[in-house]
Amino acid sequence: MKTLIFGDLSPTYATNPYFEQGDTDTLFTDTLSLFEGNDVNIVNLECALTDSDKIIKKFGPALKACPNTANVLKSIGVDYCSLANNHIFDYGIKGMEDTFMALKSADITYTGFGDNYQDARKNLVIEKDGEKLCFVAVCEHEYSYATNDRMGARGYDEYDTIEDIRKAKEENDCVIVIYHGGKEHCRYPSPRLRKICHAMVNNGADAILCQHSHCIGCYEKYNDSHILYGQGNFHFVKGVNGNPPESWNTLLAVKYDTVSKKIEFIPINNTDNGITLSKGELKDRIMREFEQRNASLLDGTWKDGWHKFCMEMKAQYESVIARALLEENPDLNRQRFAHYLDCEAHLDVFRELFPSWNDTNEK
């Protein structure tokens, strides 16, 4: 099957009016051609489709968009979406009820969400011409994830997810993992993330696309499978504060042929109100820098890029630790620390910033 896979979609103050109006030309410009001729078009819906104003307790922004977003996606050819991310439950049960209704009305099938953790572990299987393609969509633990007694997104588990992938490969011809995780704004994987992606490949994943970082990362071919550590957004123009880093504004569309196993990366960049195919020098620069980062996975220098990023975040992480036990605003400060402990990506940074003596003892 010919698949087109995109990253994070979340209409913003700059684009939500165009989603309400159904103005696909402004929103997608010449990228509309990418959706033609594919068997599967799938995106990551990283917001609730609701008019509710009731936000769950959390740190960070709460994301929502107009319910007509689902109709817009359907009109450009999107038939499937992943809900396995850290923002889908931002508006609680009401927000999800509205989201389900919008997706059902638009005839869009979703994956990566369930009534509880076990229910969320259901895969998306697509059959065509005797071929079975399976999507396993999971996210790291940063709000929104399902628990044993609450609905939510399909959280990654180092044991269960590996088992799910292995079983999926036994029952299907191709397995694609959409992994919503990794450190935001970092173009390199953490050592943990690279290790688990290798493990997922070793247990049957044919391709792994890591999303959530909001920037283009790096790619490697490992044991004849494809791993992309950072796809960038799909449609998240100007972010939540209107002043995102430069890396926010470029992204990759991924075309993957499940029969030939060929993968193609198509560079795209944001406009004021939408996205467009990258051209000229910008296109060349995006791909040149992408290939340079890819090479770093081969020569080991990706670790330097990861370490440098973590060091730039050091003051923020030290502050979270220092304030955790202050008497001033104890609930707020302790909850922020608890959030960092809960999330795999934050723990990755902690481990890089604070190595134990065992990591530095003589060799």
Side-chain angles (χ1 to χ4, degrees):
M1 281 181 249
K2 298 183 184 301
T3 69
L4 174 70
I5 307 167
F6 267 111
D8 306 339
L9 167 81
S10 182
T12 63
Y13 73 93
T15 60
N16 199 52
Y18 298 101
F19 278 97
E20 289 180 332
Q21 299 162 16
D23 187 350
T24 57
D25 288 337
T26 297
L27 290 169
F28 302 100
T29 65
D30 54 1
T31 68
L32 287 169
S33 61
L34 296 178
F35 294 88
E36 300 172 358
N38 307 311
D39 299 301
V40 176
N41 294 319
I42 184 169
V43 305
N44 173 53
L45 178 62
E46 195 170 18
C47 63
L49 303 182
T50 183
D51 294 321
S52 173
D53 292 321
K54 186 178 180 180
I55 301 172
I56 64 169
K57 293 177 68 175
K58 61 172 293 184
F59 289 102
L63 304 182
K64 70 175 181 177
C66 64
N68 194 52
T69 298
N71 294 321
V72 171
L73 291 176
K74 185 67 176 183
S75 73
I76 66 173
V78 175
D79 295 311
Y80 306 94
C81 68
S82 168
L83 306 185
N85 60 68
N86 58 306
H87 283 289
I88 193 63
F89 196 67
D90 281 355
Y91 286 82
I93 294 175
K94 179 62 167 66
M96 291 312 305
E97 290 173 346
D98 293 343
T99 302
F100 296 147
M101 185 180 301
L103 293 175
K104 182 178 181 180
S105 177
D107 193 25
I108 294 178
T109 301
Y110 68 86
T111 188
F113 196 96
D115 293 335
N116 51 54
Y117 171 65
Q118 289 300 327
D119 186 53
R121 290 173 68 186
K122 292 181 294 188
N123 301 327
L124 170 64
V125 176
I126 303 168
E127 298 187 51
K128 183 177 181 180
D129 298 332
E131 181 188 3
K132 294 177 67 176
L133 166 63
C134 178
F135 282 94
V136 178
V138 295
C139 63
E140 292 182 350
H141 292 77
E142 190 173 1
Y143 302 111
S144 283
Y145 62 89
T147 65
N148 290 331
D149 59 357
R150 191 198 66 218
M151 67 164 57
R154 181 181 187 174
Y156 170 81
D157 183 273
E158 59 185 339
Y159 304 108
D160 292 343
T161 303
I162 294 297
E163 179 183 350
D164 292 344
I165 292 170
R166 185 169 59 250
K167 288 182 177 179
K169 187 60 176 178
E170 292 173 355
E171 300 170 356
N172 299 276
D173 300 294
C174 180
V175 176
I176 299 176
V177 176
I178 297 178
Y179 183 92
H180 197 85
K183 190 66 185 78
E184 288 181 308
H185 311 302
C186 185
R187 293 187 180 272
Y188 302 91
S190 68
R192 176 199 61 87
L193 180 56
R194 194 177 186 202
K195 184 175 182 179
I196 64 172
C197 285
H198 285 187
M200 288 190 281
V201 166
N202 292 337
N203 282 273
D206 295 284
I208 303 170
L209 303 183
C210 298
Q211 301 173 351
H212 176 67
S213 64
H214 304 300
C215 63
I216 300 172
C218 43
Y219 158 83
E220 68 175 328
K221 190 172 185 180
Y222 173 73
N223 284 356
D224 292 326
S225 294
H226 306 280
I227 307 174
L228 177 60
Y229 302 100
Q231 186 176 358
N233 299 314
F234 165 38
H235 212 290
F236 210 143
V237 178
K238 297 183 180 178
V240 294
N241 58 12
N243 189 31
E246 180 184 1
S247 59
W248 185 285
N249 293 318
T250 58
L251 52 134
L252 294 176
V254 174
K255 286 198 169 187
Y256 179 65
D257 189 312
T258 63
V259 176
S260 68
K261 306 298 183 182
K262 179 182 177 182
I263 196 165
E264 180 183 3
F265 303 109
I266 303 169
I268 293 172
N269 57 274
N270 287 341
T271 66
D272 287 340
N273 301 307
I275 58 176
T276 184
L277 295 173
S278 300
K279 304 171 184 69
E281 173 54 31
L282 176 59
K283 177 181 178 180
D284 293 341
R285 178 170 63 84
I286 291 171
M287 297 309 293
R288 182 173 61 251
E289 293 175 354
F290 179 54
E291 290 167 2
Q292 290 171 350
R293 291 191 298 274
N294 299 347
S296 75
L297 292 173
L298 299 177
D299 64 22
T301 54
W302 65 276
K303 293 181 181 179
D304 299 330
W306 164 250
H307 181 75
K308 179 181 178 182
F309 175 87
C310 291
M311 292 304 294
E312 292 171 349
M313 303 288 291
K314 187 173 183 179
Q316 173 184 327
Y317 281 79
E318 287 180 335
S319 175
V320 170
I321 295 173
R323 297 179 65 85
L325 298 179
L326 290 180
E327 293 184 4
E328 178 184 358
N329 297 324
D331 290 340
L332 183 68
N333 290 324
R334 290 171 189 173
Q335 273 300 315
R336 189 182 299 275
F337 184 61
H339 164 53
Y340 275 36
L341 291 178
D342 197 25
C343 177
E344 292 89 340
H346 287 305
L347 278 175
D348 288 345
V349 179
F350 272 138
R351 293 188 179 100
E352 187 71 20
L353 292 176
F354 306 103
S356 73
W357 280 338
N358 192 61
D359 293 324
T360 57
N361 278 336
E362 59 181 342
K363 298 180 181 179

